[in-house]
Amino acid sequence: MDSKKIEALLQKYWNCETTLEEEQQLRQYFQHEAIPEPWKETAALFRYFEENKKKSLNDVAFDSRVMTTVQTSKRSKMVKFFYNTMRIAAGVTVLLTATWFIRNEVRKTTPQEMVDTYDDPKLAFEETKKALLMISKGFGTAETQTRKINMFNEAQEEIKKKDTKL
């Protein structure tokens, strides 16, 4: 076979466009010993396919080893899954129990005056109003300070501009 035909068949082969007959022609060609240098690796690949096509896995011992491994791994995976699930459940139980005990202790030790609930809605409204006014004053002070910082930054930028012009 000439090299142009082999090259065309190989191109079709790598693009998965060959027919079974064309693939058979390639297999037969690459079984010969005198293969040009550019196709040595391809010939090795085709020879590998031919050698491994002849091998079979009808070994009973192999099948039994594979089956015991699969069955053992299934059991061990289930045991690990159950073990990990129980560990997680135990951890969650400990956390919930600790939270419940701590919450009860805090409720017992906290005096009723410290609780932030009001029975009278008007009193609750007035207390909320005071808290919001206090926060509002804090924001006003912070805004004033921010303006001073901004003025300082602007002055600093003007100085830098003047220095770069010189």
Side-chain angles (χ1 to χ4, degrees):
M1 234 189 272
D2 66 351
S3 62
K4 289 183 181 183
K5 184 174 181 182
I6 294 296
E7 196 168 324
L9 282 175
L10 278 175
Q11 190 64 32
K12 283 177 69 176
Y13 181 79
W14 298 128
N15 291 331
C16 303
E17 298 170 348
T18 55
T19 63
L20 293 176
E21 293 80 24
E22 291 170 334
E23 287 181 21
Q24 183 61 34
Q25 288 175 357
L26 284 172
R27 275 189 228 107
Q28 287 174 354
Y29 176 77
F30 286 117
Q31 291 304 316
H32 301 304
E33 294 297 324
I35 303 293
E37 189 62 37
W39 295 329
K40 291 276 187 193
E41 291 179 7
T42 307
L45 180 70
F46 275 95
R47 287 187 189 124
Y48 172 80
F49 290 155
E50 283 300 317
E51 289 171 10
N52 286 319
K53 189 189 297 186
K54 296 171 188 172
K55 293 180 182 177
S56 67
L57 294 176
N58 293 334
D59 187 11
V60 177
F62 175 77
D63 289 344
S64 64
R65 280 189 312 234
V66 168
M67 290 308 292
T68 55
T69 304
V70 168
Q71 290 170 351
T72 305
S73 67
K74 280 183 185 178
R75 273 189 235 120
S76 67
K77 283 181 183 177
M78 291 191 60
V79 168
K80 285 179 184 176
F81 176 74
F82 181 74
Y83 178 70
N84 287 337
T85 303
M86 287 298 118
R87 284 176 47 193
I88 292 169
V92 169
T93 303
V94 166
L95 285 174
L96 289 175
T97 305
T99 304
W100 184 77
F101 278 118
I102 291 170
R103 187 171 180 220
N104 282 340
E105 281 299 314
V106 167
R107 282 185 178 174
K108 287 178 188 175
T109 59
T110 306
Q112 249 346 64
E113 324 58 76
M114 296 285 294
V115 179
D116 287 338
T117 58
Y118 295 96
D119 293 329
D120 184 17
K122 289 182 182 178
L123 182 61
F125 176 72
E126 289 301 320
E127 288 297 319
T128 305
K129 197 172 169 182
K130 281 184 201 175
L132 291 174
L133 279 172
M134 189 170 61
I135 291 171
S136 171
K137 288 179 185 175
F139 278 130
T141 305
E143 185 180 4
T144 305
Q145 296 297 327
T146 305
R147 285 186 189 146
K148 290 178 183 177
I149 292 172
N150 283 339
M151 280 178 40
F152 176 74
N153 286 339
E154 288 172 3
Q156 193 175 19
E157 285 178 18
E158 285 182 30
I159 292 170
K160 283 183 182 178
K161 287 180 185 176
K162 288 180 182 178
D163 286 344
T164 56
K165 288 181 180 179
L166 295 176

